[in-house]
């Protein structure tokens, strides 16, 4: 297929792609108030073909954010509410016997979409959690020995509640490492919360994004053009060494039992590259690495129990490392 166009009429020009992706913030803001960092993180993940873990208390518009992003990008989206009795086939799909043909046919599960919202992923047992691993890593699911490719783009946005752990199944480190970014969704500021309530008082319906004025401002071809441009963004040997030094410092930190793996270092390089391109540059600078270090690395490290008891957090450890690792000039 011609990389500069698709059936929906989107051009594949990198300049237009960047402008279109920048317009996402304004478009999503018609439905979601004050979550620009999360919007940017989701766009970075799409550019890097990665997945996102969204952490925030209930009611901070995590679901609405993903739905608004899908509407603004004209992508298909599905939502799965993870529960203790959810089976892997409820996510991936299963073979169903057709009495008319006397044969089994495959019925795709909700994972066959562009943006999958895995709501409260830590409320389902490891067996079902792991059903997403192949989809996230290989971008396919295997049912009855037959691999079935997933659409492109494909992004899993999994949510978890940071304060209610009773009856949950914490994600193992191996699965956490499959998420490109961990984004924290904070409670809104006072003014943002006033804006939210004002919108609802004026008739805003979060289930009707079209009525809220959310329209497609970019499409799959824009994403493809953007990915190609990101892949050409220059990375100097000094920046590569800077990323390695940051990740190696996490492995030597006395506050951590688990540091960042080489996969995490690769992820930080990729997200820094995407951020550099989004901000209008064709090369990566140290500030790009610093900007993406927390969301890319915070879920890839593990605190020592004694450090956790003293109030140390993964973010504070990473910030201290960023402050001490020499910055290339």
């Amino acid at each position: 297929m011609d990389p500069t166009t698709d059936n929906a009429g989107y051009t594949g020009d990198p300049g237009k792609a960047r402008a279109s992706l920048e317009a996402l913030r304004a478009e999503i803001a018609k439905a979601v108030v004050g979550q620009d960092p999360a919007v940017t993180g989701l766009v970075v993940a799409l550019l890097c073909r990665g997945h996102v873990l969204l952490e925030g208390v209930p009611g901070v518009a995590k679901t609405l954010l993903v739905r608004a992003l899908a509407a603004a990008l004209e992508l298909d989206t599905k939502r799965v509410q993870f529960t203790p009795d959810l089976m892997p086939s409820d996510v991936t799909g299963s073979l169903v016997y057709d009495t008319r043909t006397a044969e089994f046919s495959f019925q795709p599960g909700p994972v066959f979409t562009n943006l999958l919202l895995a709501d409260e992923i830590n409320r389902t047992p490891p067996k079902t959690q792991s059903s997403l691993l192949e989809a996230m890593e290989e971008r396919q699911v295997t049912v009855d020995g037959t691999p079935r490719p997933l659409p492109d783009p494909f992004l899993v946005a999994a949510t978890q509640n940071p304060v209610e752990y009773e009856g949950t199944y914490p994600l193992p480190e191996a699965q956490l490492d499959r998420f490109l970014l961990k984004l924290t969704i904070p409670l809104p500021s006072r003014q943002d919360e006033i804006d939210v309530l004002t919108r609802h008082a004026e008739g805003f319906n979060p289930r009707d994004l079209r009525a809220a004025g959310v329209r497609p401002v970019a499409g799959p071809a824009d994403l493809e053009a953007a990915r190609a441009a990101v892949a050409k963004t220059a990375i100097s040997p000094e920046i590569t060494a800077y990323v390695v030094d940051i990740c190696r410092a996490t492995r030597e930190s006395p506050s951590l039992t688990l540091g960042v793996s080489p996969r995490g270092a690769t992820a930080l390089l990729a997200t820094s590259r995407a951020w550099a391109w989004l901000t209008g540059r064709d090369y990566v600078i140290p500030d790009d690495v610093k900007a993406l270090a927390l969301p890319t690395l915070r879920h890839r490290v593990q605190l020592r129990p004694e450090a956790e008891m003293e109030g140390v957090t993964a973010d504070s450890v990473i910030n201290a490392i960023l402050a001490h690792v020499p910055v290339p000039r």
Side-chain angles (χ1 to χ4, degrees), residues 1-46:
M1 186 172 71
D2 184 350
T4 63
T5 186
D6 70 357
N7 294 332
Y10 293 105
T11 63
D13 176 71
K16 177 189 175 295
R18 182 187 286 119
S20 298
L21 294 178
E22 288 173 352
L24 280 175
R25 294 182 184 180
E27 202 64 25
I28 293 173
K30 296 176 182 178
V32 181
V33 177
Q35 296 293 1
D36 278 358
V39 173
T40 301
L42 286 165
V43 173
V44 166
L46 280 168

Side-chain angles (χ1 to χ4, degrees), residues 6 29 60 88 201 209 232 263 305 314 322:
D6 70 357
V60 289
L209 294 178
K232 296 177 183 176
R263 179 190 288 148
L322 292 174

Side-chain angles (χ1 to χ4, degrees), residues 141-312:
V141 296
T142 302
V143 178
D144 195 34
T146 303
R148 303 174 192 276
L150 295 170
D152 184 43
F154 172 68
L155 178 144
V156 173
T159 73
Q160 63 179 17
N161 184 343
V163 296
E164 189 181 3
Y165 290 110
E166 189 173 342
T168 63
Y169 303 83
L171 294 173
E173 284 72 23
Q175 188 164 345
L176 281 172
D177 206 32
R178 295 301 197 281
F179 287 97
L180 181 72
L181 300 172
K182 179 181 178 181
L183 305 175
T184 55
I185 311 296
L187 287 166
S189 65
R190 180 177 182 274
Q191 185 55 53
D192 284 345
E193 196 163 0
I194 289 173
D195 292 344
V196 170
L197 268 62
T198 301
R199 290 186 182 191
H200 279 267
E202 293 172 350
F204 170 71
N205 181 0
R207 295 174 183 81
D208 190 355
L209 294 178
R210 185 167 292 276
V214 179
R215 298 288 185 271
V217 294
D222 292 311
L223 273 177
E224 199 55 42
R227 288 169 172 175
V230 167
K232 296 177 183 176
T233 302
I235 303 172
S236 69
E238 292 78 14
I239 292 294
T240 302
Y242 182 51
V243 170
V244 169
D245 289 343
I246 290 171
C247 294
R248 291 181 68 85
T250 65
R251 301 168 203 162
E252 299 165 1
S253 170
S255 298
L256 302 177
T257 58
L258 179 69
V260 177
S261 69
R263 179 190 288 148
T266 302
L268 180 55
L269 199 65
T271 56
S272 303
R273 208 177 197 182
W275 175 247
W277 181 82
L278 277 173
T279 53
R281 276 178 283 100
D282 59 359
Y283 56 92
V284 180
I285 62 174
D287 283 349
D288 300 324
V289 178
K290 290 181 177 180
L292 272 296
L294 284 180
T296 308
L297 304 181
R298 59 163 60 107
H299 56 298
R300 303 176 192 271
V301 299
Q302 193 173 64
L303 288 167
R304 292 187 182 278
E306 55 269 28
E308 203 165 0
M309 289 176 64
E310 293 171 2
V312 176

